[in-house]
């Protein structure tokens, strides 16, 4: 794939080595932006989630990888752990009540998002998080609402498909 680069002085156009370097830089930047295309927030009681954070992150990552065809090494997870005096949950839930919020660039199909939700419900049960105690929300944002590597998201060219 060849990129047309309109940056820098006119001598870039005649310099094959310079053009190759710019193509390399462009591809390197595209690889880096994988890291922020899906972000996951996990909220719950500290006493329940803190002991299982690494394992929980691994399972959530496996769900994202399997449902969204996302690179396994690009996880971006943040845990928000609360003391019981700071975390209130609805009647009919237990102390294992957990909220998962997934932010991603829009473009995945409804079925793909449903598959992610199904996998999370299924794979988190062994941690004692019942389907009654798990709430999942997916937030989709247009590319232009993301900013990374100095540009709005819609000005970057991704080297993987969002439309899955």
């Amino acid at each position: 794939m060849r990129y047309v680069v309109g940056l820098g002085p006119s001598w870039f156009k005649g310099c094959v080595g310079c053009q190759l370097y710019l193509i390399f830089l462009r591809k390197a930047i595209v690889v880096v932006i994988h890291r922020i295309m899906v972000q996951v927030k996990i909220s719950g009681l500290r006493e329940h989630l803190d002991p299982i954070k690494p394992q929980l992150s691994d399972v959530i990552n496996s769900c994202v990888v399997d449902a969204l065809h996302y690179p396994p090494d690009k996880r971006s997870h943040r845990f928000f752990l609360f003391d019981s005096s700071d975390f209130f949950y609805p009647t009919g839930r237990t102390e294992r009540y957990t909220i998962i919020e997934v932010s991603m660039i829009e473009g995945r199909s409804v079925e793909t998002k449903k598959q992610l939700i199904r996998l999370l419900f299924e794979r988190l049960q062994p941690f004692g998080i019942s389907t009654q105690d798990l709430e999942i929300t997916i937030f989709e944002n247009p590319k232009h609402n993301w900013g990374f590597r100095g540009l709005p998201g819609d000005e970057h060219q991704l080297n993987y498909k969002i439309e899955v």
Side-chain angles (χ1 to χ4, degrees), residues 110-122:
V110 170
E111 190 50 45
T112 295
K113 292 179 278 187
K114 285 182 175 184
Q115 179 62 16
L116 175 59
I117 291 169
R118 285 185 197 103
L119 288 174
L120 288 165
F121 278 128
E122 174 188 318

Side-chain angles (χ1 to χ4, degrees), residues 91-157:
T91 303
R93 307 309 191 278
T94 73
E95 71 283 345
R96 294 185 178 270
Y97 178 70
T98 304
I99 301 168
I100 296 178
E101 300 174 55
V102 181
S103 296
M104 64 178 84
I105 287 181
E106 66 184 359
R108 275 84 178 191
S109 71
V110 170
E111 190 50 45
T112 295
K113 292 179 278 187
K114 285 182 175 184
Q115 179 62 16
L116 175 59
I117 291 169
R118 285 185 197 103
L119 288 174
L120 288 165
F121 278 128
E122 174 188 318
R123 294 181 186 175
L124 293 184
Q125 285 190 38
F127 292 95
I129 304 172
S130 71
T131 57
Q132 186 70 17
D133 278 330
L134 181 59
E135 291 189 12
I136 303 160
T137 306
I138 296 175
F139 297 96
E140 290 187 289
N141 297 289
K143 287 181 187 179
H144 64 268
N145 283 358
W146 289 75
F148 46 90
R149 307 299 289 171
L151 291 172
D154 62 342
E155 294 180 19
H156 282 281
Q157 191 144 44

Side-chain angles (χ1 to χ4, degrees), residues 48-110:
H48 169 64
L49 294 181
D50 201 38
I52 59 171
K53 278 191 304 192
Q55 299 88 351
L56 195 57
S57 179
D58 286 344
V59 170
I60 292 169
N61 195 54
S62 76
C63 295
V64 169
V65 167
D66 291 348
L68 305 180
H69 308 285
Y70 201 68
D73 62 334
K74 305 301 181 190
R75 95 175 64 186
S76 178
H77 298 170
R78 291 173 284 167
F79 283 84
F80 295 87
L81 306 178
F82 298 93
D83 294 326
S84 59
S85 62
D86 295 323
F87 190 69
F88 298 88
Y89 44 87
T91 303
R93 307 309 191 278
T94 73
E95 71 283 345
R96 294 185 178 270
Y97 178 70
T98 304
I99 301 168
I100 296 178
E101 300 174 55
V102 181
S103 296
M104 64 178 84
I105 287 181
E106 66 184 359
R108 275 84 178 191
S109 71
V110 170

